[in-house]
Amino acid sequence: DAGVTQSPTHLIKTRGQQVTLRCSPKSGHDTVSWYQQALGQGPQFIFQYYEEEERQRGNFPDRFSGHQFPNYSSELNVNALLLGDSALYLCASSPFGQGNSYEQYFGPGTRLTVT
Amino acid sequence: DAKTTQPTSMDCAEGRAANLPCNHSTISGNEYVYWYRQIHSQGPQYIIHGLKNNETNEMASLIITEDRKSSTLILPHATLRDTAVYYCIVRVYSGNTPLVFGKGTRLSVIA
């Protein structure tokens, strides 16, 4: 059973460019959450997708947007990249709303460097 | 902001028990205590969670004080592979409530 997968592993972009990161959730999971982890910090919640809609959002600007596909995979898009967007971007998946608390399963992350 | 306070770092000898403390004095009645860990260059990994009773699984034990204002994660026999950053998180009991991470405790297991 494949866990959460993310691509690419590493990415280098120039300030002002746009980037798309991809995530495939764990089998059986239909909810995807994205987190940003700056160096030396804990992960920070960006947003969550379920049924192809953004359901919750953290304190991130509109430059950060996402999409979820019918197969539950997801993309994170960041426009007009800033040097401060350099971070590890983590995707987490979980089943939605089954009345119990399920732990979120994290992927290995995509390391984005903005120069 | 994270609702928990943890020491920045701790050391533990290999084979000994690692006891990681966490303060969460403002925890609400409907919030659980969760523990995750993050091994270098990997995504966070769920360890255990609890409400008010002590919990144990194959990875660790969780001891929550009676007033629920603090807890301790116990790794009974730490190995070098347990070297990681450990995050204590309080969270409403809902599968899809976002996780609010602090800076965690960096545990170094020493041979």
Side-chain angles (χ1 to χ4, degrees):
Chain A
D1 175 26
V4 179
T5 60
Q6 293 186 243
S7 64
T9 305
H10 296 87
L11 201 53
I12 300 175
K13 289 288 189 178
T14 302
R15 191 171 42 185
Q17 286 187 319
Q18 179 265 344
V19 69
T20 297
L21 310 181
R22 295 175 176 81
C23 170
S24 291
K26 180 179 169 62
S27 177
H29 288 182
D30 54 11
T31 302
V32 172
S33 300
W34 287 91
Y35 293 79
Q36 179 196 64
Q37 185 173 25
L39 200 61
Q41 305 294 317
Q44 301 298 307
F45 174 71
I46 303 174
F47 45 53
Q48 181 183 90
Y49 276 83
Y50 169 67
E51 289 188 332
E52 303 179 46
E53 291 187 10
E54 183 181 297
R55 298 291 179 162
Q56 302 183 66
R57 189 179 183 93
N59 188 25
F60 278 81
D62 292 345
R63 297 187 298 109
F64 290 77
S65 63
H67 188 77
Q68 186 179 35
F69 299 93
N71 67 352
Y72 309 126
S73 66
S74 176
E75 289 181 349
L76 164 65
N77 301 294
V78 187
N79 294 322
L81 284 167
L82 304 173
L83 296 179
D85 295 331
S86 295
L88 180 67
Y89 287 86
L90 295 160
C91 171
S93 74
S94 57
F96 183 85
Q98 298 187 22
N100 292 314
S101 178
Y102 289 89
E103 61 270 24
Q104 295 189 359
Y105 287 82
F106 284 82
T110 294
R111 172 72 62 186
L112 173 66
T113 301
V114 182
T115 62
Chain B
D1 290 347
K3 296 180 64 174
T4 61
T5 304
Q6 300 177 252
T8 301
S9 64
M10 295 181 63
D11 292 339
C12 177
E14 189 178 20
R16 305 296 295 269
N19 297 283
L20 292 92
C22 179
N23 288 321
H24 32 79
S25 59
T26 61
I27 191 170
S28 301
N30 64 344
E31 289 180 319
Y32 283 60
V33 179
Y34 284 76
W35 284 83
Y36 280 74
R37 74 179 182 183
Q38 187 172 24
I39 296 171
H40 183 61
S41 298
Q42 298 182 21
Q45 175 192 24
Y46 166 83
I47 301 173
I48 197 168
H49 74 278
L51 180 63
K52 56 183 179 181
N53 298 317
N54 298 339
E55 302 287 344
T56 296
N57 63 20
E58 65 277 6
M59 291 183 66
S61 295
L62 173 60
I63 309 298
I64 302 173
T65 58
E66 190 169 348
D67 63 7
R68 302 210 321 124
K69 293 185 177 182
S70 65
S71 60
T72 301
L73 178 73
I74 301 172
L75 307 179
H77 305 286
T79 70
L80 298 178
R81 287 178 297 180
D82 292 322
T83 293
V85 177
Y86 287 77
Y87 297 99
C88 171
I89 299 167
V90 296
R91 180 183 185 221
V92 173
Y93 191 62
S94 165
N96 293 294
T97 303
L99 296 165
V100 180
F101 291 83
K103 292 188 176 182
T105 296
R106 181 172 298 279
L107 175 69
S108 297
V109 180
I110 302 168

